[in-house]
Amino acid sequence: MTDVPTFRYHPDPVATGEVITSDDPCRCCGRRQGFIYTGPVYSAEEVVEELCLWCIADGSAATLFEAEFTDVVNVPDDVPQPILTEVLTRTPGFSSWQQERWMFHCADAAAYLGKVGYEDLLTVPEALEMLREENAPFPWSDEQREAYLRTLTPTGEATAYLFRCLHCGTHLTYADHA
């Protein structure tokens, strides 16, 4: 087995749980690389836990299956198309309770760091504030809003997804509402 490929926009897909160790062969290249991607694959053909990181990194899995590994919505106009292509077709995605969405900052995609809960967010105040702002339109009192935020856990139905800007280091997040 060779070194695991690196992904600019998903720096540690093993730690985030989107990749598992496995001796199963990759459906794209047929090799047993020791890791299998478990995240989403958007393709006409069903591909579930059958791709290695190497075939995602080089784009061959996306080409063979006409697949994307995440969904992007509300992309800022200043994000170049090659960045979107890299996120969609050469970066492991992540699973969420509701529709996942990639975060963008400084005219680039941000790096996905993983699922986090309230306790984790206490160490990244700008991300916690971002969630407060995201929930501001809801007809909740401040106490209800904070009570909701305290229910966030990395493994629960109410989960936050943490990203970091690769240029300025700002942490970004959004949460699934259970």
Side-chain angles (χ1 to χ4, degrees):
M1 180 172 66
T2 59
D3 289 333
V4 174
T6 57
F7 298 94
R8 177 173 172 82
Y9 300 112
H10 195 156
D12 197 347
V14 175
T16 63
E18 302 304 327
V19 172
I20 58 170
T21 57
S22 173
D23 291 328
D24 291 343
C26 173
R27 187 165 160 201
C28 184
C29 68
R31 293 184 300 238
R32 297 175 192 271
Q33 299 280 26
F35 296 95
I36 290 291
Y37 171 65
T38 64
V41 179
Y42 300 103
S43 171
E45 191 172 337
E46 188 171 343
V47 182
V48 179
E49 296 186 14
E50 300 176 284
L51 299 175
C52 73
L53 292 174
W54 292 261
C55 289
I56 293 173
D58 69 12
S60 58
T63 299
L64 179 64
F65 297 105
E66 297 180 20
E68 294 179 346
F69 303 105
T70 195
D71 193 17
V72 293
V73 294
N74 300 323
V75 179
D77 293 338
D78 60 354
V79 175
Q81 185 59 46
I83 289 171
L84 291 179
T85 300
E86 183 173 347
V87 169
L88 289 167
T89 64
R90 292 187 313 279
T91 301
F94 63 95
S95 300
S96 65
W97 285 101
Q98 297 173 7
Q99 182 63 49
E100 78 277 352
R101 57 184 164 146
W102 213 273
M103 305 293 287
F104 299 88
H105 202 265
C106 291
D108 198 357
Y112 175 65
L113 303 179
K115 297 174 183 175
V116 294
Y118 181 75
E119 295 298 319
D120 305 304
L121 289 166
L122 291 174
T123 65
V124 280
E126 73 253 16
L128 188 55
E129 186 56 34
M130 189 175 192
L131 288 179
R132 286 185 179 112
E133 291 173 16
E134 178 182 271
N135 290 307
F138 297 128
W140 298 342
S141 68
D142 289 344
E143 294 79 21
Q144 290 170 316
R145 189 171 295 110
E146 289 302 311
Y148 164 72
L149 292 174
R150 285 191 296 277
T151 68
L152 296 172
T153 66
T155 58
E157 289 183 20
T159 301
Y161 304 89
L162 186 64
F163 292 79
R164 183 184 66 251
C165 177
L166 297 173
H167 302 279
C168 72
T170 296
H171 285 91
L172 310 157
T173 191
Y174 76 93
D176 278 337
H177 293 265

